[in-house]
């Protein structure tokens, strides 16, 4: 019977160890939600209305600083674009001016050519003599 008693004690020890391990695990698992709740409660106490106001003001200021920075970048982009357009417009105006000068020169050359082909105007005395000749011939 000594052997049976020994088996009984060993079995009870094994069961006792299992119970202890299960109890320890159950305590760990059960304490998790309470640990989180305590942590949340402690953090909630940290946030007073003044602290929340400071954080809100900080976030708000940061947001508007970023918006101002974005506006500045947009302004720089627009300025570059306007400068590029003005440069192209100036180049176009220069091209038009050069073309107008070429046309004016060509017009002057054409005027000179037409003027050179016209017969020379007669003097009044020469006109009278020519008129007499024409009437005498007729």
């Amino acid at each position: 019977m000594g052997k049976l008693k020994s088996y009984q004690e060993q079995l009870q020890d094994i069961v006792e160890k299992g119970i202890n391990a299960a109890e320890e695990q159950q305590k760990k698992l059960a304490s998790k939600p309470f640990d989180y709740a305590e942590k949340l409660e402690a953090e909630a106490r940290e946030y007073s209305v003044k602290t929340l106001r400071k954080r809100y003001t900080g976030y708000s200021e940061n947001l508007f600083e970023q918006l101002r920075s974005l506006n500045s970048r947009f302004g720089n982009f627009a300025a570059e674009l306007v400068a590029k357009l003005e440069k192209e417009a100036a180049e176009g105006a220069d091209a038009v001016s050069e073309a107008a000068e070429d046309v004016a020169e060509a017009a002057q050359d054409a005027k000179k050519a037409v003027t050179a082909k016209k017969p020379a105007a007669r003097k009044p005395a020469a006109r009278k003599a020519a008129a007499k000749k024409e009437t005498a011939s007729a």
Side-chain angles (χ1 to χ4, degrees):
M1 287 273 233
K3 262 187 168 181
L4 288 176
K5 182 83 172 158
S6 171
Y7 287 142
Q8 176 205 354
E9 289 174 0
Q10 287 178 359
L11 185 59
Q12 279 185 314
D13 286 343
I14 292 172
V15 170
E16 183 70 26
K17 286 179 183 178
I19 291 170
N20 290 341
E23 182 183 22
E24 191 175 319
Q25 288 299 320
Q26 190 276 336
K27 285 181 180 179
K28 283 182 182 178
L29 288 174
S31 71
K32 294 276 184 189
F34 294 108
D35 291 343
Y36 288 128
E38 288 171 356
K39 184 178 178 181
L40 182 64
E41 182 182 38
E43 287 179 3
R45 286 182 191 155
E46 286 179 21
Y47 295 115
S48 66
V49 174
K50 288 182 181 179
T51 304
L52 290 174
R53 181 184 300 259
K54 283 181 185 177
R55 282 193 173 190
Y56 172 80
T57 303
Y59 294 143
S60 179
E61 288 173 356
N62 187 22
L63 171 68
F64 288 108
E65 284 176 25
Q66 288 179 355
L67 289 173
R68 285 184 184 92
S69 173
L70 179 64
N71 185 37
S72 176
R73 290 172 59 191
F74 177 75
N76 291 338
F77 172 75
E80 289 176 12
L81 186 61
V82 167
K84 191 181 275 186
L85 290 173
E86 286 177 345
K87 181 182 175 185
E88 289 177 9
E91 289 172 356
D94 289 344
V96 168
S97 178
E98 288 176 15
E101 288 174 7
D102 291 344
V103 168
E105 286 177 19
Q108 288 294 329
D109 292 343
K111 184 178 178 184
K112 287 179 186 177
V114 169
T115 306
K117 289 183 179 179
K118 281 187 179 178
R122 297 183 186 170
K123 293 186 179 181
R127 274 191 226 155
K128 286 182 184 178
K132 282 184 185 179
K133 273 186 180 179
E134 284 180 19
T135 51
S137 329

